[in-house]
Amino acid sequence: MLRLVLDTNVVLDLFHWANTDAVPIMAALEAGQIECLADARTLDELQRVLTYPQLKLTPEMIAERWARYTARVTVVADGEAPPLPRCQDKDDQKFLELAARSGADILVSKDKALLKLRGRSKLAFQILAPVRLAPHLGKATA
């Protein structure tokens, strides 16, 4: 089973926007073919972002999206990450650290700062944009 870390924008694509790139991820998640990982810091960020006015979410919508997401993720305990490259956007470092600590196979992100780290160092996991994840999902279901 593929173990994924989803950055906050990808979570919003799945649980709020229903972005077409996210449809295969949601299908695999709902079918139990992948495991999505989160920790206290990534959950805190999502909880904060869900309240952003530009999302135009009512308190009921926030609660619904939060409940749907948290029911489908495995929460990883806090801990020390191995040495990692530094992400230019310090707010995204937590996703690298979570992927490294949790033994994730893939960090799924649309963030340019994270995607720039692909192939630049020897990470134990891949960093992929959602649109590039579909072939990997096919392997997870085989």
Side-chain angles (χ1 to χ4, degrees), residues 65-131:
R65 280 145 179 83
W66 177 258
R68 282 181 56 219
Y69 178 65
T70 57
R72 288 176 172 83
V73 297
T74 300
V75 178
V76 176
D78 293 339
E80 196 66 32
L84 293 164
R86 281 273 165 230
C87 185
Q88 282 184 325
D89 182 345
K90 65 179 176 27
D91 287 337
D92 289 324
Q93 190 70 27
K94 65 181 149 289
F95 296 103
L96 282 174
E97 292 173 2
L98 172 58
R101 284 190 299 105
S102 65
D105 299 299
I106 303 171
L107 167 54
V108 186
S109 178
K110 297 184 340 182
D111 186 273
K112 290 181 174 98
L114 283 170
L115 292 170
K116 276 175 54 174
L117 295 174
R118 284 181 303 195
R120 290 209 174 168
S121 59
K122 294 183 180 174
L123 296 170
F125 54 90
Q126 295 182 64
I127 302 172
L128 296 175
V131 69

Side-chain angles (χ1 to χ4, degrees), residues 9-75:
N9 285 323
V10 175
V11 173
L12 288 175
D13 283 351
L14 264 72
F15 292 90
H16 179 61
W17 304 117
N19 185 303
T20 56
D21 292 342
V23 169
I25 302 170
M26 183 60 90
L29 182 60
E30 288 178 340
Q33 297 164 334
I34 59 174
E35 180 180 23
C36 290
L37 308 164
D39 66 8
R41 293 186 305 157
T42 61
L43 290 171
D44 286 348
E45 178 175 291
L46 177 62
Q47 204 163 36
R48 187 176 66 254
V49 169
L50 287 172
T51 66
Y52 286 1
Q54 58 267 39
L55 293 180
K56 297 181 170 84
L57 295 173
T58 64
E60 295 79 16
M61 293 165 76
I62 291 170
E64 182 271 338
R65 280 145 179 83
W66 177 258
R68 282 181 56 219
Y69 178 65
T70 57
R72 288 176 172 83
V73 297
T74 300
V75 178

